């Protein structure tokens, strides 16, 4: 199999069962740790969409925060795993950048650990524009994605010391292993500057940004997480 064929959605079709066992723990805990505080700070309404919901762990996280949430994903296997875990949440298989909902539907679109699955700036821009369309005016688009530190440091849950990750440039494939579920994946490497370009090429305003770090009280023996953040969290407003 060539490397491209192993990436993005086709990859997730294959790995849905393994991924569905992944909880919000270890390094991944940091991706979600500050989301309740960000939602409190920026105050949006209750109607939410989890874009790229995968096996539904992020959707259930939002439901547990009291949001009225739906999930969409390009992988039917991931959606099947999400429905299996909670069939009270509405889930739908979609095509990339096509959300079959009316304009101005949601108060929040949440997108965790998805954008590094998308291979081109053009496709990312289509996703941003489609999210913009379905958000209400003043609605929030919260993105959790990999930071530039992700692929060149060692983390509690993520092994990254692979030759592929030397001298990464935008759009290149980075290799990463999720230790908890023994799953090796390829992500597209995008920099903070790539994300800032996307924001300025679309109609969003950047209202907050965070690199979540590990703390003493998290209950983990952090490796790089206390000084470097594997994630960037962008809070955009329509
Ligand atoms: C790493 S999983 C993250 C799942 C979930 N958000 C979470 O935090 O656990 C990435 C998901 O993004 C989905 N995905 C990839 N490209 C997508 C696209 N263009 N549009 C929607 N979903 C996409 C994949 O099918 C996969 O389920």
């Amino acid at each position: 199999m060539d490397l491209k064929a192993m990436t993005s959605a086709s990859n997730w079709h294959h790995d849905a069962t393994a991924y569905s066992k992944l909880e919000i723990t270890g390094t991944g805990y940091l991706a979600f740790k500050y989301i309740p505080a960000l939602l409190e700070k920026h105050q949006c309404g209750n109607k939410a969409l989890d874009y790229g919901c995968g096996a539904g762990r992020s959707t259930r996280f939002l439901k547990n925060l009291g949001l009225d949430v739906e999930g969409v994903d390009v992988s039917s296997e991931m959606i099947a795993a999400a429905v299996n875990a909670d069939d009270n949440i509405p889930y739908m298989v979609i095509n990339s950048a096509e959300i079959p909902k009316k304009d101005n539907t949601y108060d929040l679109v949440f997108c965790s650990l998805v954008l590094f699955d998308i291979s081109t700036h053009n496709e990312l821009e289509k996703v941003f524009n489609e999210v913009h369309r379905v958000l209400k005016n003043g609605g929030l688009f919260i993105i959790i994605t990999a930071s530039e530190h992700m692929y060149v440091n060692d983390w509690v849950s993520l092994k990254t010391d692979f030759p592929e990750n030397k001298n990464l440039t935008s759009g290149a494939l980075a290799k990463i292993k999720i230790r908890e579920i023994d799953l090796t994946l390829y992500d597209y490497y995008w920099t903070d500057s790539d994300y800032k370009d996307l924001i300025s090429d679309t109609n969003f305003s950047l209202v907050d940004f965070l690199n979540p770090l590990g703390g003493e009280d998290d209950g983990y023996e952090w490796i790089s997480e206390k000084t470097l953040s594997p994630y960037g969290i962008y809070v955009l407003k329509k």
Side-chain angles (χ1 to χ4, degrees), residues 12 19 32 51-54 57-58 73-75 78 96 112-114 117-118:
W12 293 114
Y19 198 80
F32 293 86
Y51 184 86
C53 61
R57 69 175 181 151
S58 45
D73 199 285
V74 294
S75 162
M78 282 293 210
S96 179
S112 59
L113 311 173
V114 175
D117 255 5
I118 297 179

Side-chain angles (χ1 to χ4, degrees), residues 51-107:
Y51 184 86
C53 61
R57 69 175 181 151
S58 45
T59 332
R60 296 189 295 278
F61 172 85
L62 296 174
K63 180 182 173 180
N64 290 337
L65 293 179
L67 291 163
D68 171 16
V69 65
E70 301 162 21
V72 294
D73 199 285
V74 294
S75 162
S76 54
E77 281 79 1
M78 282 293 210
I79 290 290
V83 171
N84 190 41
D86 183 342
D87 62 6
N88 286 316
I89 298 176
Y91 285 109
M92 199 189 294
V93 182
I94 59 158
N95 294 320
S96 179
E98 291 179 21
I99 302 168
K101 295 284 171 171
K102 292 195 178 113
D103 298 0
N104 310 313
T105 298
Y106 297 102
D107 299 300

